[in-house]
Amino acid sequence: MLNFQKTKIDDFAEIWRIYKNVIKNGDSYLDNLAKTDKNYAKQKWLNSSSINIIAKLDNKVVGFYSLRNNYKDYGSHVANGSYIVNPDFRQKGFGKKIALHSLDEARKAGYKAMQFNFVVATNIAAIKLWQSVGFKIIGTSPKSYQHQGLKKLVDNHIMHIFL
Amino acid sequence: MLNFQKTKIDDFAEIWRIYKNVIKNGDSYLDNLAKTDKNYAKQKWLNSSSINIIAKLDNKVVGFYSLRNNYKDYGSHVANGSYIVNPDFRQKGFGKKIALHSLDEARKAGYKAMQFNFVVATNIAAIKLWQSVGFKIIGTSPKSYQHQGLKKLVDNHIMHIFL
């Protein structure tokens, strides 16, 4: 049974280790590890103006996510989210549980919709996961991601769900 | 003949006056004037990490714009832009001249494309202007703008051009 809590500073060492491990591939996140420092990561996953949640199983970190306004002021009823699933816990259905938890949290916080501005089009697992919980692709940004594995520009999808 | 220069601190009083005048309507920008202070505006239109340009005619401010990365790191080859045209100079073809100038500046800065994440779907003048210089609508975010004039949620288009 996954245990969801707010991220705490004590979680940061493990968050930083997993985050680095995931972004180093340059196949699904915008972050270039060489340009990413601890302070940026701490701000991203622990700041107090976002909803930052960590999911654990037997005290091991399965994943974590961060919700915030997708846009300011007159667009602030739409949430945006960032997610990391620990590679050690992939393909076990945990991603979907974390996704559903985040939709509930966004709803509780009063958001009316959630939007991702950047889902790498070659990241089929992520696209299928988000579609399985109800997201739709509402647009595609052509050649907007510098895929490090494929060594070429690939498309990004914009994905959206009403809450 | 429009004269284009980098924005300078001496321009800020007029930038602030025009910016406030435009965003107060809540029909095309995300900013809620009541939550927008001078420092935010100064950062937005004068910061040194963006390309900030002002267009003048006989020393009067016709408009100004700001270019920056649409996304970080592996998405940083795509530019994003914000634009304000002084209402006193609308419907005279200046918007298009400013748009074309910004595309040149983005190209010179090495950007491969430009994307707007948020063009209010009821802002027909803006959409036509951007289409007239080659932008395409690549997606539509449903009900993501709190239109203050219409007092309802309206859609936003995502617009894109290769440079």
Side-chain angles (χ1 to χ4, degrees):
Chain A
M1 188 71 174
L2 282 183
N3 174 23
F4 291 93
Q5 303 159 357
K6 288 193 178 174
T7 57
K8 287 193 275 293
I9 190 69
D10 289 351
D11 298 316
F12 184 66
E14 188 62 358
I15 286 176
W16 177 232
R17 188 189 68 79
I18 296 167
Y19 179 54
K20 280 194 298 183
N21 192 24
V22 167
I23 67 173
K24 74 172 192 293
N25 299 318
D27 59 0
S28 45
Y29 293 84
L30 289 165
D31 312 277
N32 178 338
L33 179 55
K35 295 180 184 175
T36 304
D37 68 13
K38 264 192 171 181
N39 281 336
Y40 171 82
K42 200 175 280 179
Q43 173 61 22
K44 184 172 177 74
W45 301 110
L46 286 159
N47 80 82
S48 60
S49 61
S50 303
I51 299 170
N52 292 302
I53 303 285
I54 192 163
K56 295 180 186 176
L57 187 72
D58 301 334
N59 226 25
K60 283 181 188 137
V61 176
V62 172
F64 43 95
Y65 68 83
S66 178
L67 303 179
R68 68 199 78 80
N69 296 351
N70 194 45
Y71 287 100
K72 69 193 292 278
D73 295 358
Y74 297 136
S76 61
H77 58 295
V78 182
N80 174 264
S82 303
Y83 301 76
I84 298 276
V85 175
N86 184 344
D88 295 344
F89 289 91
R90 292 242 173 108
Q91 295 182 297
K92 294 180 167 67
F94 291 124
K96 187 162 180 174
K97 288 197 173 76
I98 292 170
L100 289 169
H101 189 271
S102 75
L103 294 178
D104 274 347
E105 284 293 311
R107 226 174 261 121
K108 275 195 265 176
Y111 288 111
K112 304 301 180 201
M114 196 183 297
Q115 182 170 311
F116 305 139
N117 306 308
F118 218 93
V119 182
V120 178
T122 51
N123 189 1
I124 305 296
I127 294 164
K128 286 199 170 159
L129 168 62
W130 292 116
Q131 286 175 328
S132 80
V133 298
F135 276 78
K136 289 184 170 44
I137 294 173
I138 57 165
T140 299
S141 173
K143 299 189 179 185
S144 51
Y145 185 69
Q146 302 163 23
H147 195 295
Q148 299 303 295
L150 299 174
K151 298 194 186 313
K152 64 174 187 178
L153 296 175
V154 302
D155 298 349
N156 282 284
H157 296 312
I158 299 119
M159 299 190 74
H160 177 278
I161 189 173
F162 284 116
L163 296 175
Chain B
M1 187 71 175
L2 282 183
N3 173 23
F4 291 94
Q5 302 159 356
K6 288 193 177 173
T7 57
K8 287 192 274 297
I9 191 68
D10 288 351
D11 298 316
F12 184 66
E14 188 63 357
I15 286 176
W16 178 231
R17 187 189 69 77
I18 296 168
Y19 179 54
K20 280 194 298 183
N21 193 25
V22 167
I23 67 173
K24 74 171 192 294
N25 300 316
D27 60 359
S28 45
Y29 293 83
L30 289 165
D31 313 277
N32 178 338
L33 179 55
K35 295 180 184 175
T36 304
D37 68 13
K38 263 191 171 181
N39 282 335
Y40 172 82
K42 201 176 280 179
Q43 173 61 24
K44 185 172 176 74
W45 300 110
L46 286 159
N47 80 82
S48 59
S49 61
S50 304
I51 298 170
N52 292 301
I53 303 285
I54 191 163
K56 295 180 187 176
L57 187 71
D58 301 335
N59 227 26
K60 282 180 189 138
V61 176
V62 173
F64 43 94
Y65 69 83
S66 179
L67 304 179
R68 69 201 76 80
N69 296 352
N70 193 44
Y71 286 101
K72 70 193 290 276
D73 295 358
Y74 297 137
S76 61
H77 57 295
V78 182
N80 174 264
S82 302
Y83 301 76
I84 298 276
V85 175
N86 184 345
D88 295 344
F89 289 90
R90 292 240 174 110
Q91 295 182 296
K92 293 180 168 70
F94 291 124
K96 187 162 180 173
K97 288 196 173 76
I98 292 170
L100 289 169
H101 189 273
S102 75
L103 295 177
D104 274 345
E105 284 293 311
R107 226 174 263 124
K108 275 195 264 177
Y111 287 112
K112 304 301 181 201
M114 196 184 295
Q115 182 171 312
F116 305 139
N117 305 308
F118 217 94
V119 182
V120 178
T122 50
N123 189 1
I124 304 296
I127 294 164
K128 287 201 169 159
L129 169 61
W130 293 116
Q131 286 175 328
S132 79
V133 297
F135 276 78
K136 290 184 169 44
I137 294 172
I138 57 164
T140 299
S141 173
K143 298 187 180 187
S144 51
Y145 185 69
Q146 301 164 24
H147 196 295
Q148 300 303 294
L150 299 174
K151 298 194 188 311
K152 64 174 187 178
L153 296 176
V154 302
D155 298 348
N156 282 284
H157 296 312
I158 299 120
M159 299 190 75
H160 177 279
I161 188 172
F162 284 116
L163 297 174

